[in-house]
Amino acid sequence: MAEDTVTICDNRTGKTVKLPIIHGTEGVPVVDVSTFYKEFGMFTLDPGFRSTAACNSKITFTDGDQGILLYRGYPIDQLARQSTFLEVCYLLMEGDLPSPTQYTQFKEIITHHTMVHEQLLNFYKGYRRDAHPMAIMVGVVGALSAFFHDSLDVFNPRHREISAHRLIAKIPTIAAASYKYSVGQPFVYPDNTLSYTENFLNMLFSVPCEKMRLSPVLVRAMDQILILHADHEQNASTSTVRLAGSSEANPFAAVSAGIGALWGPAHGGANEAVLTMLHQIGSVDNVDVFIKRAKDPDDPFRLMGFGHRVYKNYDPRARILKESAHAVLADVGRADDPLFRLALELERIAQEDEYFIKRKLYPNVDFYSGIIQSAIGIPTNMFTVIFAVARTVGWITQWMEMMTEGPSISRPRQLYIGHPRRDYVPMDAR
Ligand code: CMC
């Protein structure tokens, strides 16, 4: 039987080296190129990490061709339909589904860390009222580092665990406060009698003079959104958290870096961009014009919420969100919502179009999530913040996995294409 290796030959010298092929439990195998520089005196080049695995991980698996997403081995549709976000947090962090006792204990821990230090709330006042809430999130989450000197030893497993619990518990409080600040309403303190998701919605929407009535359909839809966004293996923001954490930076600083990476429209900012795009298209009558624009290589317009670096099939999360959109819109009495009809039509036409078929461009997680969130009453500029709330557990779990293995600073190499060595020319001689 052939050895599980790839043979690389440097045709200039004839030197041949066998590189080991490593198989994971699922998915495509990898070639271990860690000795490549030592063997050949060359680096490998892969901008955008199109062919490069940056770590080993036991947390999340995606198969982009089949449209599969597993958290700790469990299919996303089973978790989205049968589990709760907090149970998924436990699963991601601990590796297994909790027993009833473990779940009760975990809920207790998270519930009792929901408040933030009163002085942290002063940070908000430093922002302009019209600041994007993601700008506030980057700053305030990073600022958490200043409040927990008691547990910032990144090599202490108990410190890491406490930080993870604090982040999961406090992120809805911080996110809701960023919204309250932008609309000029008082901050709402967490209510520990409510579930995680009810509490989050309550902090977003209640005001001191009026109690919030939460529809179970909307609470469930929001819980499902949190589950679906909880982790997605080595995406841009998660890789950013790992990269920042690899320098032994504290987890609040690393997660704050991840929030910054999530913000961009090619990543978590796409949900906001989808709604902006749907408003821009305006009506079903204009779909053809925009589809034409999306296909034009000279037009920067892209169909937001379409396409994915990994999924070359229907994103399994988008399928669940499409179903959820029907339920949520019916619950809020907008079953015939024109934006939803527009989105469905856009999807239908794109899926029949040669351009999208050939490039395997399907709706991704962001395509329907904005429609659901606006039906719940969440403003467009908060969509990416909701994504950040959900992804915090993924970021911190991935960070913990890396720290448990013992981090080695991530330091990519480069192909230098700048000016060759030259001598400094004094100012008066230029
Ligand atoms: N609309 C029109 N054409 C597209 C789109 C799109 N949304 N996405 C990709 N293409 C085309 C692209 O122009 C290229 O065509 P060609 O081969 O003729 O040059 C081809 O499809 C391959 O695209 P790519 O840019 O090489 O693909 P990528 O893997 O680098 O990019 C992506 C993935 C998600 C950045 C991209 O599909 C995109 O910009 N989509 C819109 C933004 C979006 O919805 N982002 C959310 C991603 S999912 C959530 C998350 O991860 O946060």
Side-chain angles (χ1 to χ4, degrees), residues 133-142 145 167 171 229 231 233-246 249-269 384-396 398-399:
M134 282 297 277
I136 302 180
M137 294 294 287
V138 171
V140 175
V141 172
S145 327
L167 269 163
I171 198 81
H229 290 80
D231 195 41
E233 49 120 318
Q234 308 313 317
N235 55 83
S237 57
T238 302
S239 300
T240 302
V241 171
R242 279 187 179 259
L243 199 93
S246 79
N250 73 70
F252 305 106
V255 167
S256 163
I259 294 173
L262 183 73
W263 195 354
H267 190 8
T384 315
V385 174
I386 306 290
F387 195 154
V389 169
R391 187 55 60 84
T392 293
V393 62
W395 290 328
I396 200 66
Q398 299 266 353
W399 173 81

Side-chain angles (χ1 to χ4, degrees), residues 151-419:
S151 55
L152 287 187
D153 178 358
V154 296
F155 294 106
N156 180 327
R158 179 66 190 128
H159 283 200
R160 294 200 292 263
E161 188 182 41
I162 296 172
S163 297
H165 290 157
R166 281 177 170 151
L167 269 163
I168 295 167
K170 292 180 201 309
I171 198 81
T173 314
I174 293 169
S178 74
Y179 170 60
K180 286 301 196 190
Y181 181 74
S182 72
V183 290
Q185 291 179 4
F187 298 137
V188 176
Y189 287 90
D191 178 345
N192 291 350
T193 63
L194 299 175
S195 74
Y196 186 89
T197 302
E198 282 170 336
N199 176 48
F200 181 33
L201 291 174
N202 186 60
M203 288 189 292
L204 281 171
F205 298 126
S206 73
V207 283
C209 48
E210 208 171 300
K211 254 208 156 312
M212 163 90 192
R213 269 184 199 286
L214 293 163
S215 145
V217 174
L218 301 191
V219 174
R220 182 69 195 130
M222 178 54 94
D223 203 63
Q224 226 175 26
I225 284 181
L226 297 181
I227 293 172
L228 294 172
H229 290 80
D231 195 41
H232 208 239
E233 49 120 318
Q234 308 313 317
N235 55 83
S237 57
T238 302
S239 300
T240 302
V241 171
R242 279 187 179 259
L243 199 93
S246 79
S247 74
E248 300 166 22
N250 73 70
F252 305 106
V255 167
S256 163
I259 294 173
L262 183 73
W263 195 354
H267 190 8
N271 48 19
E272 186 175 337
V274 170
L275 224 73
T276 309
M277 175 191 75
L278 291 176
H279 282 295
Q280 190 190 0
I281 298 175
S283 131
V284 170
D285 300 338
N286 300 329
V287 166
D288 285 341
V289 176
F290 282 87
I291 292 273
K292 214 165 152 195
R293 284 190 58 192
K295 297 192 293 186
D296 180 352
D298 299 324
D299 189 327
F301 177 81
R302 278 191 162 196
L303 220 50
M304 299 313 288
F306 258 75
H308 198 277
R309 173 60 63 80
V310 174
Y311 294 118
K312 302 303 170 197
N313 200 325
Y314 212 101
D315 182 335
R317 303 166 298 174
R319 208 183 295 283
I320 296 162
L321 288 171
K322 190 174 170 183
E323 280 170 31
S324 169
H326 282 288
V328 166
L329 290 168
D331 190 68
V332 298
R334 280 170 35 197
D336 206 23
D337 182 71
L339 274 197
F340 187 41
R341 271 199 293 126
L342 178 54
L344 290 172
E345 184 61 4
L346 204 56
E347 180 191 334
R348 189 188 67 75
I349 293 182
Q351 302 246 280
E352 288 172 359
D353 191 295
E354 187 54 27
Y355 174 95
F356 293 89
I357 297 170
K358 201 172 135 218
R359 289 168 181 75
K360 299 183 177 164
L361 300 170
Y362 295 87
N364 60 47
V365 68
D366 293 313
F367 195 62
Y368 290 109
S369 74
I371 290 170
I372 299 172
Q373 292 188 56
S374 25
I376 294 174
I378 293 166
T380 314
N381 67 356
M382 280 294 290
F383 292 176
T384 315
V385 174
I386 306 290
F387 195 154
V389 169
R391 187 55 60 84
T392 293
V393 62
W395 290 328
I396 200 66
T397 303
Q398 299 266 353
W399 173 81
M400 284 172 79
E401 183 177 67
M402 180 185 73
M403 295 308 293
T404 306
E405 278 180 7
S408 150
I409 189 160
S410 293
R411 177 43 172 102
R413 309 306 288 249
Q414 65 168 9
L415 173 66
Y416 177 68
I417 53 170
H419 212 289

